[in-house]
Structures are given as structure tokens and as C-alpha cells.
Amino acid sequence: MIEWLSALPPTIQALMGTLFTWGVTALGAGLVFFFKSINKTVLNGMLGFAAGVMIAASFWSLLAPAIEMAEGLGQTAWITAAVGFLAGGAFLWLVDITLPHLHMGLEKDKAEGIKTSWQRSILLVLAITLHNIPEGLAVGVAFGAVAFDLPSASLTGAVALAIGIGLQNFPEGAAVSIPLRREGFSRTKAFLYGQASGIVEPIAGVIGAFAVVSMQPVLPYALAFAAGAMIYVVVEELIPEAQHNEGGTATNVATIGCMIGFTIMMILDVALG
């Protein structure tokens, strides 16, 4: 499979990788056809798992290669990594305070971003869509980096990242569709909303791959940018939601989920990358 994939242009590789991650989001959203509600403890574990995957991917698949590539291009590696990382966080912060969205478990009057009259369901979907942007960008940049034949950028590593992002997209799809079903949506409509939250990943992936293929010097910055954006999402959204108004066992499950997610992503990246 890897040999066949290597013959394709980086943008097509990125498109296929992010279509996979979107497809896994749809699979997760499809759980709404079997369940009308989801246990809070289970949801905490899912969100914790997603956070763990993103933390591990941010370092092994993005920041570490960014530093190596910056050194190879004659850049001051720590400056490149720091600038890209902080720029990624700043970008997500600007989107976060601008794009109307609502985190799970909150009332509509707690929506963030520009005030709007949009329905609660739209705001919930936009909250998940918000952090799918850096995920798609990360996969796209990883595939784009392979075009430069650098030691720290491999096709298997990019595939490992896509698999890791896909794994954590499964609970995210369910985390959108099942709460919508509980709020009175039909199963079909809840599914469509849930899978729609991942549609930005192929778009961001192709943009990321095209950008780095067109401008090699920006590649280390792009990798660090994607890492910063992902860490912002983890700290601002995933971990707080996993532990919102919960304690004891539910919080422990979120922490254990995070540890498991981190370990699985680390294994994928080290073993395949």
C-alpha cells in the first residue's frame, strides 16, 4: 500500500489521508444509529483519548521533525519551532474568539465567539469543527514534507499520523451526533451533523500540503504551527470538557484515556515513522 501511495503527488496523498480521517469521524457519528445517549464517564474517556493522541502527535509527528528540518535548512531551530508553535496557538485563539461555537454540556448563552442567533446544534458542530482544522492541516503538512526527501519526514510517518488522527476522530464524531440525538434530532440528521464536523480536514489537509510543497523554507514553521494549534485545542477544549463538572472516577477515566491515547500515538509514530 505504501509503495502505491508513494507514486501519488503529495497533495493527493494528503487528500486521501484526510478523507480517511473524515471517514472515521463519520463512523463515530454513525453510533447514533445504535445509541441515543452516551455515558458521561465513557465520553470523558473518549475525549481524554483524543487529547492524548493529539499531544503525542504534536511532538513526534510535528515539533521534532520541525526542529530537525530547520537545522537542515540552516535555520536557528529553536526560533523556528517557537515562532511556528506560538503562531499556531495564536491562530486558533483568533478563530476561537471569532467563530461562534458552543462546547458540549453548556447552555446556549455560554457560546463563545461573535454573538449570533444560530441554533444550538450549529454551534455544537462548529466547536468540533474548530479543532478539526489543525488536525487536517497537520496531516497535510506531514504528507507535503515527504516531497523533500528529508530524513525526518517519511511517508510511513505521515500515514501513522493520519491513522492516529483518525483513531481520535471516532469518539469525536460520536461526541457530536449522540448529544444531538438526545436533544431531539432524528438519527439521520444527527449523523449528518456529526460527520459534517470533519469536512474541514480534507480542505485543510490539501491547503497544508500545497503550501509546503510550494515553499520549502516554510515547512518547519508549518509543522510547528500545526503542533501549536493542536496543543491549543487540547488545553482550551478537550481536557476541560473531559473533566467538566466531574470528579472521582469520571475524571480518572479521562486521565487514563489520555495516557492510552498518548501511548498508542507514540507507538504508531515510533514504530511506523
Side-chain angles (χ1 to χ4, degrees):
M1 173 191 169
I2 296 295
E3 291 76 13
W4 170 75
L5 191 61
S6 64
L8 300 174
T11 50
I12 301 300
Q13 294 173 353
L15 177 62
M16 294 182 66
T18 47
L19 283 175
F20 164 75
T21 61
W22 181 20
V24 180
T25 302
L27 283 176
L31 290 179
V32 74
F33 292 106
F34 306 97
F35 305 99
K36 187 174 182 179
S37 62
I38 183 168
N39 182 274
K40 176 59 178 173
T41 301
V42 173
L43 179 59
N44 284 354
M46 288 180 170
L47 292 173
F49 178 87
V53 168
M54 292 178 71
I55 293 170
S58 295
F59 177 74
W60 271 281
S61 298
L62 299 171
L63 267 183
I67 293 170
E68 291 182 30
M69 290 176 191
E71 292 173 343
L73 292 171
Q75 301 172 359
T76 304
W78 66 268
I79 293 179
T80 299
V83 169
F85 185 83
L86 292 175
F91 170 75
L92 256 291
W93 174 72
L94 289 173
V95 174
D96 189 53
I97 63 176
T98 304
L99 181 69
H101 63 284
L102 178 65
H103 296 301
M104 288 179 291
L106 299 180
E107 297 300 323
K108 187 178 177 181
D109 60 1
K110 298 292 180 62
E112 299 178 16
I114 296 174
K115 298 302 179 183
T116 177
S117 58
W118 292 350
Q119 293 181 352
R120 173 183 165 86
S121 57
I122 298 295
L123 296 173
L124 287 168
V125 173
L126 286 176
I128 299 295
T129 302
L130 178 63
H131 73 240
N132 281 336
I133 295 173
E135 293 171 12
L137 181 64
V139 174
V141 169
F143 277 106
V146 178
F148 297 110
D149 197 27
L150 298 169
S152 53
S154 67
L155 184 57
T156 51
V159 170
L161 177 60
I163 292 173
I165 296 297
L167 285 174
Q168 63 95 37
N169 275 359
F170 184 84
E172 286 183 359
V176 178
S177 63
I178 292 178
L180 291 180
R181 172 61 179 161
R182 191 170 60 246
E183 291 188 10
F185 281 65
S186 68
R187 287 186 170 86
T188 300
K189 191 172 181 180
F191 166 76
L192 291 175
Y193 274 68
Q195 62 82 33
S197 66
I199 198 171
V200 295
E201 291 194 4
I203 299 171
V206 171
I207 291 174
F210 179 78
V212 300
V213 168
S214 303
M215 300 172 287
Q216 182 179 5
V218 82
L219 176 55
Y221 290 97
L223 287 165
F225 180 96
M230 288 176 68
I231 291 296
Y232 181 92
V233 167
V234 169
V235 177
E236 196 276 337
E237 182 175 344
L238 291 181
I239 291 177
E241 285 185 6
Q243 301 188 348
H244 178 65
N245 291 334
E246 295 292 333
T249 302
T251 300
N252 291 337
V253 168
T255 304
I256 293 169
C258 183
M259 298 290 290
I260 293 173
F262 185 96
T263 302
I264 290 176
M265 186 64 231
M266 177 179 64
I267 291 172
L268 280 174
D269 197 274
V270 175
L272 299 181

